[in-house]
Amino acid sequence: MSGFENYTREASQLDREIERKGVILGIDWNDQAQVRALAREALDCKIDEANCDPSDPHDRIRVELFGLAQLMLTVMKESARVDMHTHGGAAWKAFATALWAEHEARHS
C-alpha cells in the first residue's frame, strides 16, 4: 500500500510548499528560462555532492525544493498506478514541465 492514498490532498500540500519555496527563492514560475534553469539544477543535484552550505538558508531551501520535486513525481507515479491523473497548481505544472523537458533534452 502506498503512503500517498489521498493523492489530491498530497498534491495540494506539495504544491503549496513548492510555491512557498519559490517565493523564498524568487522563482517566477511563468519565466520558462528561469524554471528550466532550476530544473537543470535539480536534475544535476546529487545530495552528497551538492554545492550547498547547510548554514545558508537559500541553499537549504533550494535543496528542499528539489526534494519536493521528487515527492511531486512520486505522487504522480503512484496515482498513475491506480489510473488517477494527479497534478498541482501553476508552480507544480511549470516545474514538472521544465523537469520533463530537461529530461527529454538529455535523453534525445
Side-chain angles (χ1 to χ4, degrees):
M1 179 180 282
S2 170
F4 296 102
E5 290 82 16
N6 189 332
Y7 301 110
T8 303
R9 185 183 73 226
E10 292 291 334
S12 176
Q13 290 171 343
L14 285 169
D15 187 52
R16 194 169 34 259
E17 285 304 311
I18 289 168
E19 288 177 5
R20 286 179 182 156
K21 305 289 187 223
V23 168
I24 294 166
L25 295 171
I27 304 297
D28 176 358
W29 297 108
N30 296 311
D31 181 340
Q32 290 182 354
Q34 183 185 30
V35 179
R36 282 288 295 264
L38 183 66
R40 279 190 295 279
E41 206 178 325
L43 291 175
D44 290 339
C45 183
K46 308 269 188 292
I47 203 66
D48 310 5
E49 304 168 14
N51 186 13
C52 179
D53 177 0
S55 66
D56 180 339
H58 185 270
D59 283 353
R60 190 178 68 251
I61 295 297
R62 185 174 51 87
V63 171
E64 288 174 7
L65 177 61
F66 298 161
L68 290 171
Q70 181 61 48
L71 289 173
M72 173 183 74
L73 296 172
T74 299
V75 168
M76 289 189 296
K77 182 173 124 184
E78 291 290 323
S79 66
R81 287 187 180 152
V82 294
D83 295 323
M84 214 175 143
H85 180 74
T86 302
H87 58 81
W92 171 304
K93 289 175 186 173
F95 201 19
T97 299
L99 286 164
W100 183 254
E102 284 301 316
H103 173 76
E104 287 293 304
R106 292 172 184 214
H107 296 91
S108 59

